[in-house]
Amino acid sequence: MTQIQPITTESLQQAKRLIFSGEVVAIPTETVYGLGGNAFDDNAVKKIFEVKGRPNDNPLIAHVHKDYDLSRIVDYDPPYAQKLREAFLPGPLTLVYPSTGKVSPFVSCGLNTLAVRVPSHEGAQAFLREVGIPIVAPSANLSRHVSPTSAKHVFDDFEGKIPLILDGGECTGGIESTVCDCTGAYPVILRSGLVTKEMLAEVVGKCGEYTPDLSRGEKVKSPGVLYKHYAPRCKTLLFSEKNAKNAISAYVSQSLENKGVAVLCAEKWIEEFEKVGAKCLNLGKNQAEMAQRLYKLLREAERLCEVLIVVEPSEQGGIMTGVLNRLRKACTSEDVEKK
Ligand code: TXA
Ligand code: MG
């Protein structure tokens, strides 16, 4: 049986008991919910991979409370990483360091680095303080499904498969943390998110962005970036704003018999698309709203329609880099048009 509990002294103690008996427990964070286990326990780490169906070459992030002594798990801490922590942590930024190798070898899948995150969500902090150890936690979704932004989303994917979900309400961030490599001379973004390249560069002067060049047989730094991800269980067709209107009209007229078509678009398009009879999901009117709503709406689309027409916002940079990255990965190869 899977329990959903609000965060109280009792539920935190229950979560602690489960973690120290090798179980996995779902926890809220400000980005998305995570599926947490004891980072020192090989079997707990293996269980996380099993229950998610996660490929075993995709490393996990270790989560710690804000006063945790990093030197236990991090071997080298460059001065710029300290600046980044001061500026952005606790918060949606994960830093990758050379590892001391103290956590289970299954956490980093053979890499000699460790990704560490200090979430700002109060419930997450309370839980991490209660257990006092690093907790590895991938997003609490079945592998390749849409990431969860509520306890209900986690329940939908893992009912009967995990004992406890700590319910910390809806996630305010909505997309996963920015992952930033801190093993070189300057920070390099491996996965974009709510802490943007512009924000990082402002604090430390220089910030790179990693795109694997597989044609040169390069070893991938962050295997997770390769996988198709975040996909809802309905067909998804991605259009540029320029071509969306015609496509939507065509689909809406077809769908008189098949009413399973919906449109996911920015707020400014809703009126226009509703005029041609489309059922619309409102992504919002600014970058932060779009990040916060994206996964929730992709999960809603699964229930609402068979075909989701996604209108890609034309805005670029800032948080949109992360939002567009998720949106493109959520859409299948049947995309009618990419810009
Ligand atoms: O916001 C988040 O980061 C959420 C919440 C639960 O904290 N967690 C999350 O975990 O998104 P997950 O497992 O879905 O994504 C972890 C990402 C993957 O792309 C993985 O490849 C990368 O971080 N990663 C983990 N350890 C790494 C390492 N040592 N070096 C490079 N990349 C790493
Ligand atoms: Mg994930």
Side-chain angles (χ1 to χ4, degrees), residues 52 54 139 141 147 176 229:
K52 250 188 90 100
R54 183 179 178 99
S139 50
N141 51 279
S147 295
E176 299 87 345
H229 260 117

Side-chain angles (χ1 to χ4, degrees), residues 29 31-35 52 54 58-61 63 94 96 107-108 111 113-115 117 137-139 175-177 179 190-191 221-225:
T29 81
T31 57
V32 300
Y33 275 70
L35 200 58
K52 250 188 90 100
R54 183 179 178 99
N58 191 9
L60 303 177
I61 298 173
H63 297 64
T94 297
V96 176
V107 171
S108 292
L111 299 171
T113 54
L114 180 67
R117 162 152 152 70
S139 50
I175 59 171
E176 299 87 345
S177 63
V179 178
L190 303 177
R191 176 176 74 183
K221 280 201 177 159
S222 191
V225 298

Side-chain angles (χ1 to χ4, degrees), residues 310-323:
V310 178
V311 184
E312 186 176 295
S314 56
E315 231 181 299
Q316 304 281 325
I319 300 173
M320 283 318 278
T321 308
V323 174

Side-chain angles (χ1 to χ4, degrees), residues 12-41:
L12 286 173
Q13 280 167 5
Q14 182 189 1
K16 182 179 182 177
R17 279 196 302 275
L18 287 165
I19 289 291
F20 281 97
S21 67
E23 278 301 333
V24 297
V25 171
I27 56 166
T29 81
E30 70 280 17
T31 57
V32 300
Y33 275 70
L35 200 58
N38 180 348
F40 296 120
D41 180 341

